[in-house]
Amino acid sequence: MGKPTRVTNEIRALRFAAGEMTQAELADRVGLTRQTIIAIEQGRYSPSLEVAFRIARVFGVPLERVFGYPEEES
Amino acid sequence: MGKPTRVTNEIRALRFAAGEMTQAELADRVGLTRQTIIAIEQGRYSPSLEVAFRIARVFGVPLERVFGYPEEES
DNA sequence: ACATCGTGTCAAGTATCTTAGACATCTCGG
DNA sequence: CCGAGATGTCTAAGATACTTGACACGATGT
């Protein structure tokens, strides 16, 4: 339900890069539920900016390294 | 009301830097209402990541130049 | 076979973001 | 003075994000 978002992310790759971090562990470190991580990771919706910042902080990278937004061709 | 967010922004400064751009014009260019711009500019809540990206695009700057998130000291 | 872990799904509810419209205030130009 | 533009407030409703809890499935290990 809810339309999928245009925002892309590298969460899965970053989790593995960060020593096989599990979705549950990431959820815990970010302060979200596991379900929310799954939904974001799958691009089912775009998180709030605050959550996006918290995720980037956990991985220790800038926000734009985790999330992307496509150019628009009009 | 809802709690104010920890996310900071430079929208007002960027509007003026971009040739006295008005809130209504920004709202229009981003595809939001004027009210939403006001609320975000005042830090009454943090926008969705998608909206944050669109705002940054309008100003032609990276997202992290528009929005900031404080360090956390637990 | 059985238990555990990681991932994923579904459904129903709460919280937060976003919209729409009406209205108040200030400033500026005519 | 009067009108128009820019900012802001309030209320109410609609749309998304996020939570909680339960369950399914494949892989791994004992």
Side-chain angles (χ1 to χ4, degrees):
Chain A
M1 324 239 199
K3 42 190 89 159
T5 182
R6 289 151 87 192
V7 174
T8 63
N9 74 86
E10 299 297 324
I11 295 179
R12 185 171 287 266
L14 287 162
R15 278 199 297 112
F16 282 94
E20 307 284 324
M21 184 188 296
T22 180
Q23 290 177 335
E25 190 184 338
L26 176 56
D28 195 57
R29 298 240 265 145
V30 176
L32 295 175
T33 61
R34 195 170 60 84
Q35 308 238 36
T36 303
I37 294 296
I38 293 174
I40 294 171
E41 195 169 298
Q42 290 175 152
R44 295 216 264 126
Y45 50 67
S46 88
S48 72
L49 185 53
E50 183 158 355
V51 162
F53 269 118
R54 294 212 303 263
I55 292 173
R57 283 287 158 85
V58 166
F59 292 123
V61 300
L63 192 151
E64 309 205 19
R65 183 94 173 256
V66 183
F67 299 97
Y69 194 68
E71 302 285 338
E72 26 198 285
E73 77 302 314
S74 45
Chain B
M1 294 237 252
K3 44 194 77 160
T5 181
R6 289 150 88 191
V7 174
T8 64
N9 74 86
E10 299 298 324
I11 294 179
R12 185 171 286 265
L14 287 162
R15 278 199 299 111
F16 281 94
E20 306 286 323
M21 183 188 297
T22 177
Q23 290 177 336
E25 190 184 339
L26 176 57
D28 194 56
R29 298 240 266 145
V30 176
L32 295 175
T33 61
R34 194 171 61 84
Q35 299 241 41
T36 302
I37 294 295
I38 292 174
I40 293 171
E41 195 169 299
Q42 291 176 152
R44 292 216 260 123
Y45 49 66
S46 87
S48 71
L49 184 54
E50 182 157 356
V51 162
F53 269 119
R54 295 211 303 262
I55 292 173
R57 284 287 158 86
V58 166
F59 292 122
V61 300
L63 192 151
E64 307 206 21
R65 175 166 295 200
V66 184
F67 299 96
Y69 193 68
E71 301 287 337
E72 46 192 80
E73 78 301 316
S74 52

